[in-house]
Amino acid sequence: MTEHRGSQPSEAKGTVIAFSAPGCEPLYAHEREAMAAVARTIASLKGFAFQQGLVNSSGNGEGLYFVPDDSLLATDAARLGINGPQDLFGGVVPWRFAMTKAITHELVDGLAKRPKEWSTGFGRTVSAAVLPGYTVFSRPDALRAAERLLRLGLARLKPPLSSRGQDQHVVRTVADVERLLEQYRSPDLDECGLVLEADLRDIVTLSVGRTEIDEIMIAYYGTQRTTTDNAGQSVYGGSDLIVMRGGWEALEDLRLPRALALATVQARTYDAAMAEYPGFFASRRNYDIGQGVDSSGIWRSGVLEASWRIGGSSTAELAAIKIMKQDPDIQLVRASAVKEFGNTSRLPVNADVHFQGEDPDEGPITRYTVVTHATREPPKKAAD
């Protein structure tokens, strides 16, 4: 039985429901708490009650707002009464492969295997906004793609179904790819594909996105942090965001350094290209852009993947939206979503702590959000 937990404020106009999307990879305990923090903030903004877990019946969605932990398929969204971006925090896609990084690259050639719903136009449209690479749906195509891509230098093999950067491998030869292919089940390869992409060193990962809740729309850019987990591995440690009131046009008004300006253009190009997939809509659109040097010494920039769901920076996005709703004159907010491993004793005075303690899977960890600046005037020039 689905568990129902929630709070019902007096005179609530509806309910915000946080839930696990069908087929979604299970979240860590600290991720569930961060997700609940986002959902509770949205409930507060909307004057809604909060509920953990789906209702046990489908309906027309009236008075309901959904916060799933992953993108939803159109069929699942329709069953819940989700008809547009006003009904959820996240996004809806027509087919499962379209919610992964598989759509980012073109096929190796016109004869390559592909899902029947595959859009060849999407890959062509975003080719200048992504790194050199290919998506493949068969072993023979993977080997042909590897032979072609490796002429440029080292490549990275990325399974679309894996998250948090897991199961990715740097490959030097076609033989490396052939050996790694033995790890992937044929059904997964046939349905969701595999990505081969130019590998970058000294990489900086930027996040560019747009989020809307009711009448408030924000656009943001920022840099992802790295931290060391309890096993000594370098992992994602949160994001530092510059959040502007307004849509994509708010970023156009900023005189950004050249690399940042390029990242925003690439994110918008990728975002606009989603028109190739019918039925797509999203209230939260995040694009991770990798910038670094490939093994040939060429500096490159490109969208690594898109996220039409709650993400690691969402608590910072919501903190900015909350401030903007409280003060309609606020135009810019600097906010950080932070993840620290180990026993953290010192936190910023104004930190909003979402999780602090022992995660059963990842050990001691602290998740918090901190707002460092809010202004009624947009900046004349962003910092490098």
Side-chain angles (χ1 to χ4, degrees):
M1 174 179 286
T2 304
E3 184 180 6
H4 298 276
R5 301 195 311 276
S7 57
Q8 182 73 37
S10 59
E11 305 295 331
K13 296 180 291 186
T15 304
V16 170
I17 301 174
F19 70 101
S20 182
C24 179
E25 183 179 4
L27 298 181
Y28 294 131
H30 65 85
E31 292 174 327
R32 291 195 300 270
E33 290 300 321
M35 175 181 171
V38 168
R40 287 192 178 95
T41 300
I42 294 173
S44 176
L45 291 170
K46 296 173 73 69
F48 280 20
F50 167 76
Q51 177 176 291
Q52 183 77 49
L54 272 176
V55 293
N56 282 329
S57 61
S58 60
N60 60 13
E62 185 176 352
L64 300 178
Y65 185 92
F66 297 90
V67 184
D69 56 4
D70 205 347
S71 305
L72 295 179
L73 290 175
T75 50
D76 294 324
R79 189 171 62 251
L80 294 170
I82 297 173
N83 300 309
Q86 73 281 355
D87 296 329
L88 86 164
F89 187 78
V92 171
V93 296
W95 303 290
R96 186 164 297 280
F97 72 83
M99 68 174 68
T100 74
K101 59 179 72 73
I103 64 171
T104 299
H105 295 290
E106 295 186 85
L107 305 173
V108 65
D109 58 34
L111 299 177
K113 186 176 179 180
R114 73 202 71 180
K116 63 179 181 179
E117 304 89 355
W118 183 262
S119 168
T120 55
F122 183 91
R124 287 196 299 267
T125 300
V126 303
S127 60
V130 302
L131 301 177
Y134 299 100
T135 294
V136 299
F137 291 90
S138 73
R139 284 173 168 75
D141 289 346
L143 298 179
R144 288 192 296 136
E147 184 177 7
R148 188 175 302 178
L149 185 61
L150 288 168
R151 294 170 189 163
L152 302 177
L154 301 182
R156 181 173 292 268
L157 189 148
K158 303 164 68 172
L161 293 179
S162 297
S163 62
R164 310 181 185 100
Q166 295 175 337
D167 303 321
Q168 296 187 11
H169 300 274
V170 176
V171 293
R172 299 175 178 274
T173 66
V174 175
D176 289 340
V177 176
E178 193 166 19
R179 184 178 65 256
L180 288 168
L181 285 172
E182 299 302 318
Q183 302 178 15
Y184 303 110
R185 297 173 60 250
S186 292
D188 289 342
L189 183 58
D190 294 344
E191 181 181 358
C192 294
L194 196 63
V195 171
L196 288 97
E197 185 177 78
D199 183 59
L200 300 183
R201 67 175 187 268
D202 302 324
I203 189 170
V204 173
T205 304
L206 306 173
S207 292
V208 178
R210 196 195 80 184
T211 301
E212 58 183 300
I213 297 176
D214 294 339
E215 75 282 2
I216 298 182
M217 181 179 291
I218 61 168
Y220 62 85
Y221 67 89
T223 305
Q224 293 188 9
R225 297 174 173 225
T226 57
T227 190
T228 302
D229 68 13
N230 292 308
Q233 302 296 313
S234 180
V235 297
Y236 172 73
S239 298
D240 301 315
L241 301 185
I242 307 295
V243 183
M244 299 291 299
R245 185 188 292 271
W248 291 124
E249 70 283 352
L251 299 182
E252 289 181 354
D253 296 335
L254 302 176
R255 289 185 293 169
L256 298 174
R258 184 175 299 177
L260 266 175
L262 175 60
T264 63
V265 170
Q266 290 175 325
R268 294 189 63 178
T269 299
Y270 199 107
D271 186 74
M274 284 304 294
E276 295 282 343
Y277 286 98
F280 166 78
F281 59 83
S283 63
R284 198 247 177 189
R285 301 158 180 252
N286 180 85
Y287 301 94
D288 290 346
I289 295 94
Q291 297 185 334
V293 179
D294 70 13
S295 57
S296 300
I298 300 174
W299 185 89
R300 297 187 183 275
S301 175
V303 176
L304 302 176
E305 62 180 315
S307 175
W308 305 299
R309 57 172 173 79
I310 193 168
S313 68
S314 291
T315 56
E317 297 162 42
L318 264 295
I321 290 175
K322 182 178 179 179
I323 289 174
M324 290 176 179
K325 186 175 180 67
Q326 292 169 344
D327 185 343
D329 292 329
I330 292 294
Q331 299 299 313
L332 178 148
V333 175
R334 295 176 183 265
S336 297
V338 182
K339 178 166 64 172
E340 294 181 352
F341 291 85
N343 296 307
T344 303
S345 57
R346 286 190 173 183
L347 295 174
V349 175
N350 60 337
D352 184 6
V353 179
H354 313 304
F355 184 94
Q356 188 170 31
E358 189 80 14
D359 184 288
D361 298 299
E362 294 211 294
I365 186 171
T366 301
R367 297 282 298 268
Y368 67 90
T369 299
V370 61
V371 174
T372 57
H373 184 71
T375 180
R376 293 176 175 83
E377 295 293 332
K380 293 182 179 180
K381 190 178 189 303
D384 287 319

